[in-house]
Amino acid sequence: MGQAADIIIHNARILTMDEASPVAQAIAIAGNRILAVGDDAEIQALGTSATRIVDAAGATVMPGFNEAHMHIFGGSVGLGELSLFQLKGFDALKAKVRDYAAKNPELPLLVAQSADYTILSEEERVTRHHLDRIIPDRPFLMFSPDHHTAWANTIALEKAGILHGRDVGVGNEIVMGDDGLATGELRESNAIRPVSGMSATGGREGLGVGTGGDPNHVTPEERAGDIEVIKRGLAYCASHGITSLQNMDGSLYQLEMLQEIEDTTGLPVRVRMPYHMKNFMPLSDLQEKAAVWRERFDSDKLRCDFVKMFMDGVTEGETAVFVDDYSHKPGWKGEPLFSAEHFNRVAVEADRLGLPIAVHAIGDGAVRMVLDGYDAAQQENGRSDRRNRIEHIEVVHPDDVARFAATGTIASMQPTHPPGSAGLPLEPYLTYIGRERWPHAFAWKALKDAGATVVFSTDWPVSPLPPLSCIRDAMTRKPWADDMPDHRLTLEETLTAYTRTGAWVEFMEDRKGMLKPGYLVDVVILSADIHSVSHEAIADIPVRMTICDGRITHEAA
Ligand SMILES: [Zn+2]
């Protein structure tokens, strides 16, 4: 007599993501391991009177989603802030901000998220003067969806001490006006942090991605508050069917809080985090910190086993690095955050230590520099199964497409990011990169067809979190012009990029990312059969239940 099942899910359209046995009707779960996957009759025989039986009513059951690139602390904080997603025009902005300000009289800094670069109009860039007309007497900060740009009103700039400008280092900029004062536009984290640090959380949620550092002084009350915020964010992830997330913030502060959650109430989502290597950090940090964190955080629930870096910024902020000039700005290609020589040294050393690398590279120039670094590491240390990745790859030079497969580099991309998708405006993006580069922008299908491994995510809070929306966007992407390539992927390809491939990227393909006997119980039950609805409607399917590590982490009312 075999082991009895704790939970049986039957009458389901199970997508196992296991090529050897792709579909089934039922699944039996015991503890945190999958007992069996098969047809209704054979699985139901494993039940006892104590088994919970879940009738899926013909809906899709599949491995939980692996959100391969996101920012849990910033996203969690943002859940309580003002969202300007898809909002357009001065009057609408004014109404939203004033309403939020009235409802939150105690906040030291009012923060808004997801403001499009063209929130006012296609032509007009936001300045502090616009924001002063909305709210003159309380500090206000508004983030672009990508978080690489923010806009502040005059009182916020004054209180932060940057109204008269300040040197904030390469790749960062407090944009100055003809009057010698800051315009209100702040580019990249060093420029934004003086203002964001005035918020209720002290800007602590931005440190991991911004500086790779940790807060200096945190009171026990502040830390307890931060933990509660992160718990809300994790519950939000579970409610959307996520069972694994890769939090791209490198931060010991966050790792320790997540460990405390795991040790007390248990993490409802598996978390993987990197060590964040900035250009001012010594090479020895890889051995003395990154490799040490890897030993310390090494469970199936929480691990820190790779290195995150930034090679450039974003196109809209003119901080992305291109092979050729920006189309609207002759003579400007962007400035990389690492010299080629410096990056190659880091890549070689990380590779020597067995640490995979994930590098933010938006422009084709930055992408090329990262591929060059991965090449250098392989030449120096020999080829090994390192599963290095490049994040975003908004534009790839045609000469570099085949190099992904050649170097074994993973393309980590966000189907929610192309301008025109997910409510994002086309401008200024299309003008900045110019028509000749459009065919090579967000080219996930070209990369996939050339043999690259593609993994998907939303980069939350840059884009909305729900994986089913992201999956819809990957399948329904509209070209920017009739003669542009079609980058739509099939449902199977897209689901694979959100499940099995995510597990493979984490070196955990032997125990998650598929539904098969012996695997960890990371399961999502949808409330419809994903094959029976139109591609557009996939985003509207509610998640009925999420199970992570054998524990029910979300159940729809
Ligand atoms: Zn990110």
Side-chain angles (χ1 to χ4, degrees), residues 179-254:
D179 58 358
L181 298 176
T183 64
E185 179 166 337
L186 306 170
R187 295 179 175 178
E188 304 297 333
S189 57
N190 288 354
I192 299 167
R193 202 172 315 107
V195 178
S196 63
M198 303 191 301
S199 75
T201 61
R204 288 189 291 282
E205 72 279 11
L207 290 176
V209 65
T211 67
D214 286 314
N216 292 323
H217 303 287
V218 183
T219 66
E221 294 73 29
E222 286 170 339
R223 188 172 187 276
D226 289 349
I227 287 177
E228 285 313 306
V229 166
I230 291 174
K231 279 187 180 175
R232 277 202 294 278
L234 292 168
Y236 181 70
C237 293
S239 77
H240 287 290
I242 293 170
T243 54
S244 290
L245 64 85
Q246 304 190 42
N247 175 28
M248 299 308 274
D249 290 7
S251 160
L252 191 57
Y253 180 60
Q254 288 185 44

Side-chain angles (χ1 to χ4, degrees), residues 69 71 209 248 308 392 459 462:
H69 179 137
H71 304 275
V209 65
M248 299 308 274
K308 168 83 192 290
H392 311 310
D459 201 8
V462 171

